[in-house]
């Protein structure tokens, strides 16, 4: 293989996020919300980089029994160099663009949206806030928990919890 295709080193600004890089597979996610039926799902998550001071990610969920693709997300996780401050730029296949900010503390990330863009023909209810935590439970286990708000008057409620194993 030529040297031009060798994996670049992780940008030094990303050192606080090095524990996240890789492919993670969750086989037993659980979802709920006051307005829907409880459900289970699977999800594969990838965090990758090209040597820039941001991680690229994809979150691809699938139906628990049939494996049919469901909710999908792609985007970037950016770190303010020299700080623990993070921004997530996330496009979702349901027609939402999420801009969230937060902190990385050790091996835990907390993010909260400050802007959610929505297609003019998106389904109701509109999502008005998304809160996420990512936590490294052990070197091979990553956890994501998502809360969301669907109207300015409804406080955030739990939507998703999943643990992923490193592939
Ligand atoms: C329902 C948003 C991720 C599965 C919903 C609803 C919203 C929503 C607004 C409708 C709630 C209602 O009718 O009151 C989001 C957002 C996500 C997300 C913002 C990411 C941050 C996921 C993921 C899955 C999922 C990863 C995995 C399969 C479902 C299911 C329903 C649902 C099964 C109920 C059926 C349906 O209405 O399609 N979600 N969701 N969601 N979500 Fe999510």
């Amino acid at each position: 293989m030529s040297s031009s295709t060798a994996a670049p080193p992780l940008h030094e600004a990303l050192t606080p996020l090095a524990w996240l890089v890789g492919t993670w597979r969750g086989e037993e996610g659980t979802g709920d919300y006051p307005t829907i039926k409880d459900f289970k799902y699977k999800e594969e998550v990838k965090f990758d980089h090209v040597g820039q001071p941001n991680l690229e990610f994809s979150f691809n969920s699938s139906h628990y029994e049939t494996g049919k693709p469901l909710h999908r997300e792609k985007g970037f996780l950016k770190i303010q160099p020299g700080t623990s401050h993070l921004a997530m730029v996330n496009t979702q296949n349901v027609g939402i663009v999420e801009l969230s900010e937060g902190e990385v503390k050790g091996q835990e990330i907390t993010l909260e949206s400050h802007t959610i863009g929505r297609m003019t023909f998106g389904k109701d209810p509109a999502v008005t806030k998304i809160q996420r935590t990512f936590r490294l439970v052990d070197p091979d286990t990553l956890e994501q928990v998502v809360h969301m708000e669907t109207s300015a008057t409804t406080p955030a409620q739990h939507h998703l919890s999943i643990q992923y194993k490193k592939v």
Side-chain angles (χ1 to χ4, degrees), residues 35-36 39 41 61 70-71 73 92 125 127 132 148 159-160:
T35 47
I36 63 172
F39 62 93
Y41 68 103
S61 70
L70 291 173
H71 191 99
E73 307 176 10
Q92 304 184 13
V127 178
R132 299 176 187 259
M148 68 174 173
H159 188 35
L160 307 163

